[in-house]
Amino acid sequence: MISKLQKGWATVAAGAALGCAGLVSLGRAQQGPSAPAELQMLPVQGNVYLLAGAGGNIAVQVGSQGTLVVDTGLANRSEQILASIHKLTPKPIQYIINTHVHADHTGGNDTLRKAGATYTGANVTANLTDVKLGAQVFSHDNVLQRMSAPSGKQALRAFGDWPTLTFFGDKKQMSFNGEPIEILHQPAAHTDGDSIVFFRRSDVIAAGDIFLTTTYPFIDLGRGGSIQGEINALNNIIDITVPLRQEEGGTYVIPGHGRIADRFEVVEYRDMVTIVRDRIRAGMKDGMTLDQIKAAHPTLDYDYRYGAQTGFSRPDAFVEAVYQSLAKSQ
Ligand SMILES: [Zn+2]
Ligand SMILES: [Zn+2]
């Protein structure tokens, strides 16, 4: 495990520099700070690779049938993302899965979809790129709602970024490259449209921004996130990860930002989020105001590890999001 995790370390800086929180409100024309030049393609396990450095982490599953990607990074890195994937495999992208709506995970949807190919079924061998169908883009239906519906009076994401096929309810199952893949909806967690993607044969989970190795989670209350949903989702990831031995190895988890992790690290993260939530809840029960709770630094012992300098994963921003989420649910 050590070598695998050390290999992943190089991605930390890239993930942190392009944290989700800072990019959430940005549209396609404006994509944040200057990005690092190099993308990194790292083998994770089985048929699954991690492409890091283009915004949110991208999982790439390869095989004889074609290519499937989980998330598409920032719009302004799309050509580099495509070049990196083509270096790994000549097979066209057939499926794109979005873990959630944020632009650092869906910004490349249009470009990657158009570069992909749709096969209409097992009996049709022709590549239909000619008719510009492109790849299918899957997500939970709430991702489409968030992209296509106005928030306030301002709309949204360009049509070309929208998912082409959405699901309702708990999950969608599919098989691709001989591997069962489960897209598992996590209600009201980081947003209201989060899915984790479980590659069952490769034994890899792409967690989206429910799990980060870089910072505190960002609970996007404005897009339907909640602290209890975040904790539930982390528990759901823990439920389906199986360590190889002594809590290490086995199922690997690709975070939304940061390096490849395993069950043990998700457990640590879940514990941290739960402990901070409990401290804030205790303060609220004692009648403390938000300012008083912030002044008591309920995250202090974790700030060195997870406190971001800027954006929604700053310690005080995380505390405020948890407070507001708890206040809403009371
Ligand atoms: Zn993100
Ligand atoms: Zn996000």
Side-chain angles (χ1 to χ4, degrees):
M1 182 195 80
I2 298 301
S3 63
K4 174 83 73 179
L5 297 182
Q6 283 173 338
K7 194 158 45 175
W9 262 115
T11 66
V12 170
L18 288 165
C20 197
L23 296 155
V24 164
S25 60
L26 299 180
R28 289 171 57 79
Q30 180 197 0
Q31 292 291 348
S34 60
E38 292 280 316
L39 306 188
Q40 286 183 292
M41 185 72 82
L42 302 164
V44 181
Q45 188 157 259
N47 287 0
V48 179
Y49 292 75
L50 162 61
L51 180 57
N57 281 332
I58 298 169
V60 184
Q61 188 233 30
V62 300
S64 58
Q65 277 185 285
T67 303
L68 177 151
V69 300
V70 181
D71 287 343
T72 58
L74 290 163
N76 64 358
R77 309 303 297 277
S78 299
E79 294 303 329
Q80 279 175 287
I81 292 166
L82 274 179
S84 296
I85 293 170
H86 288 157
K87 216 185 278 181
L88 180 69
T89 170
K91 300 272 184 179
I93 297 169
Q94 284 193 47
Y95 296 107
I96 295 167
I97 301 169
N98 286 155
T99 60
H100 65 290
V101 66
H102 290 153
D104 55 332
H105 296 259
T106 57
N109 275 9
D110 193 34
T111 304
L112 270 63
R113 180 181 54 77
K114 285 176 181 160
T118 295
Y119 293 75
T120 56
N123 298 323
V124 179
T125 53
N127 178 334
L128 298 178
T129 309
D130 290 350
V131 291
K132 303 290 183 210
L133 284 175
Q136 287 272 23
V137 183
F138 290 145
S139 76
H140 188 271
D141 193 64
N142 288 345
V143 174
L144 177 61
Q145 298 307 321
R146 294 280 174 197
M147 281 192 191
S148 58
S151 75
K153 286 190 177 156
Q154 206 185 8
L156 351 255
R157 298 287 296 279
F159 177 75
D161 282 342
W162 296 4
T164 59
L165 197 62
T166 65
F167 71 100
F168 298 85
D170 293 350
K171 66 177 161 185
K172 175 180 173 61
Q173 294 177 313
M174 60 188 289
S175 180
F176 190 56
N177 290 321
E179 170 155 57
I181 299 167
E182 295 189 310
I183 309 170
L184 305 168
H185 177 52
Q186 307 298 313
H190 168 62
T191 68
D192 61 7
D194 299 314
S195 296
I196 62 174
V197 182
F198 184 21
F199 296 94
R200 285 176 35 173
R201 181 167 292 180
S202 298
D203 202 9
V204 173
I205 295 167
D209 281 347
I210 287 163
F211 173 60
L212 312 172
T213 64
T214 48
T215 63
Y216 294 120
F218 165 42
I219 312 294
D220 190 348
L221 299 173
R223 292 180 181 79
S226 75
I227 182 63
Q228 191 56 51
E230 166 72 21
I231 292 171
N232 293 345
L234 288 167
N235 279 322
N236 291 338
I237 294 171
I238 292 165
D239 275 349
I240 55 172
T241 49
V242 181
L244 195 61
R245 59 179 174 274
Q246 297 174 336
E247 290 294 310
E248 293 193 345
T251 312
Y252 282 112
V253 182
I254 300 174
H257 299 265
R259 62 187 168 79
I260 300 162
D262 60 17
R263 184 178 192 274
F264 179 74
E265 288 160 292
V266 183
V267 169
E268 280 194 314
Y269 197 74
R270 185 272 319 267
D271 289 349
M272 176 274 290
V273 173
T274 306
I275 287 166
V276 171
R277 187 275 314 264
D278 288 350
R279 289 171 179 169
I280 295 170
R281 190 161 59 186
M284 292 170 78
K285 278 191 180 138
D286 287 347
M288 291 170 77
T289 64
L290 173 58
D291 284 343
Q292 287 169 332
I293 290 172
K294 278 184 182 173
H297 295 301
T299 60
L300 190 61
D301 44 340
Y302 296 110
D303 284 350
Y304 76 97
R305 174 71 182 82
Y306 296 111
Q309 302 292 316
T310 59
F312 293 105
S313 295
R314 290 185 340 265
D316 64 321
F318 175 49
V319 170
E320 180 158 351
V322 173
Y323 177 96
Q324 301 293 5
S325 179
L326 290 171
K328 251 193 208 176
S329 66
Q330 275 174 354

Coordinates of all heavy atoms in Angstrom, one line a residue, residues 20-21 24 99-105 190-191 194 208-210 212 218 220 257, ligand 2:
C20 N -12.5 22.2 -5.2 CA -13.8 22.3 -5.8 C -14.5 23.6 -5.4 O -15.1 24.3 -6.2 CB -14.7 21.2 -5.3 SG -16.2 20.9 -6.2
A21 N -14.3 24.0 -4.1 CA -15.1 25.1 -3.5 C -14.9 26.4 -4.3 O -15.8 27.1 -4.5 CB -14.7 25.2 -2.1
V24 N -16.9 26.5 -7.8 CA -18.3 26.1 -7.9 C -19.1 27.1 -8.7 O -19.9 26.7 -9.5 CB -18.8 26.0 -6.5 CG1 -20.3 26.0 -6.5 CG2 -18.3 24.7 -5.9
T99 N -20.1 12.6 -11.0 CA -20.4 12.4 -9.6 C -21.3 13.5 -9.0 O -22.0 13.3 -8.0 CB -19.1 12.3 -8.8 OG1 -18.4 13.5 -8.9 CG2 -18.2 11.1 -9.2
H100 N -21.2 14.7 -9.6 CA -22.1 15.8 -9.2 C -21.9 17.0 -10.1 O -21.2 16.9 -11.1 CB -21.8 16.2 -7.7 CG -20.4 16.8 -7.5 ND1 -19.3 16.0 -7.5 CD2 -20.0 18.0 -7.2 CE1 -18.2 16.8 -7.3 NE2 -18.6 18.0 -7.1
V101 N -22.6 18.1 -9.8 CA -22.7 19.1 -10.8 C -21.5 20.1 -10.9 O -21.3 20.7 -11.9 CB -24.0 20.0 -10.4 CG1 -23.8 20.7 -9.1 CG2 -24.4 20.9 -11.5
H102 N -20.7 20.2 -9.9 CA -19.7 21.3 -9.9 C -18.8 21.3 -11.1 O -18.4 20.2 -11.7 CB -18.8 21.2 -8.6 CG -19.6 21.5 -7.4 ND1 -19.3 21.0 -6.1 CD2 -20.7 22.3 -7.2 CE1 -20.1 21.5 -5.2 NE2 -21.0 22.3 -5.8
A103 N -18.4 22.5 -11.5 CA -17.7 22.7 -12.8 C -16.3 22.1 -12.8 O -15.8 21.9 -13.9 CB -17.7 24.2 -13.1
D104 N -15.7 21.9 -11.7 CA -14.4 21.2 -11.8 C -14.5 19.7 -12.0 O -13.5 19.0 -12.1 CB -13.6 21.6 -10.5 CG -14.2 21.2 -9.2 OD1 -15.5 21.2 -9.2 OD2 -13.5 20.9 -8.2
H105 N -15.7 19.2 -12.0 CA -16.0 17.8 -12.3 C -16.8 17.5 -13.6 O -16.9 16.4 -14.0 CB -16.7 17.1 -11.1 CG -16.0 17.2 -9.8 ND1 -15.3 16.1 -9.3 CD2 -15.7 18.2 -9.0 CE1 -14.6 16.4 -8.2 NE2 -14.9 17.7 -8.0
H190 N -22.7 16.1 -0.3 CA -21.9 17.3 -0.7 C -22.8 18.2 -1.5 O -22.8 19.5 -1.4 CB -20.7 16.8 -1.6 CG -20.0 17.8 -2.4 ND1 -19.3 18.8 -1.8 CD2 -19.8 17.9 -3.7 CE1 -18.7 19.5 -2.8 NE2 -19.0 19.0 -3.9
T191 N -23.7 17.6 -2.3 CA -24.8 18.3 -3.0 C -26.0 17.4 -3.0 O -25.9 16.4 -2.3 CB -24.5 18.6 -4.5 OG1 -24.4 17.4 -5.2 CG2 -23.1 19.3 -4.7
D194 N -25.1 13.8 -5.7 CA -23.9 13.1 -5.6 C -24.1 11.6 -5.9 O -25.1 11.0 -5.4 CB -23.3 13.1 -4.2 CG -22.9 14.5 -3.8 OD1 -22.3 15.2 -4.6 OD2 -23.3 14.9 -2.6
G208 N -16.1 11.0 -5.8 CA -16.5 12.4 -6.0 C -16.1 13.2 -4.7 O -15.2 12.8 -4.0
D209 N -16.7 14.4 -4.6 CA -16.3 15.3 -3.5 C -16.9 14.9 -2.1 O -16.7 15.7 -1.1 CB -16.7 16.7 -3.8 CG -15.7 17.3 -4.8 OD1 -14.6 16.7 -5.0 OD2 -16.0 18.4 -5.3
I210 N -17.5 13.7 -2.0 CA -17.9 13.3 -0.7 C -16.7 13.0 0.2 O -16.7 13.2 1.4 CB -18.8 12.0 -0.8 CG1 -20.2 12.4 -1.3 CG2 -18.9 11.3 0.5 CD1 -20.9 11.2 -1.9
L212 N -12.5 13.7 0.4 CA -11.3 14.4 -0.1 C -10.1 14.1 0.8 O -10.3 13.9 2.0 CB -11.6 15.9 0.0 CG -12.9 16.5 -0.5 CD1 -13.0 18.0 -0.2 CD2 -12.9 16.3 -2.0
F218 N -16.8 20.1 1.6 CA -17.6 21.3 1.4 C -19.0 20.9 1.3 O -19.4 20.1 0.4 CB -17.1 21.9 0.0 CG -18.1 23.0 -0.5 CD1 -18.7 23.9 0.3 CD2 -18.3 23.0 -1.9 CE1 -19.6 24.8 -0.2 CE2 -19.2 23.9 -2.4 CZ -19.9 24.8 -1.6
D220 N -22.3 21.8 0.3 CA -22.9 22.9 -0.5 C -24.4 23.0 -0.2 O -25.3 22.4 -0.9 CB -22.7 22.5 -2.0 CG -23.1 23.7 -2.9 OD1 -23.7 24.6 -2.5 OD2 -22.7 23.6 -4.1
H257 N -10.7 15.1 -4.7 CA -9.4 15.8 -4.8 C -8.4 15.1 -3.9 O -8.8 14.7 -2.8 CB -9.6 17.3 -4.4 CG -10.6 18.1 -5.2 ND1 -10.2 18.8 -6.3 CD2 -11.9 18.1 -5.1 CE1 -11.3 19.4 -6.8 NE2 -12.3 19.0 -6.2
Ligands
ZN2 ZN -17.8 19.5 -5.7

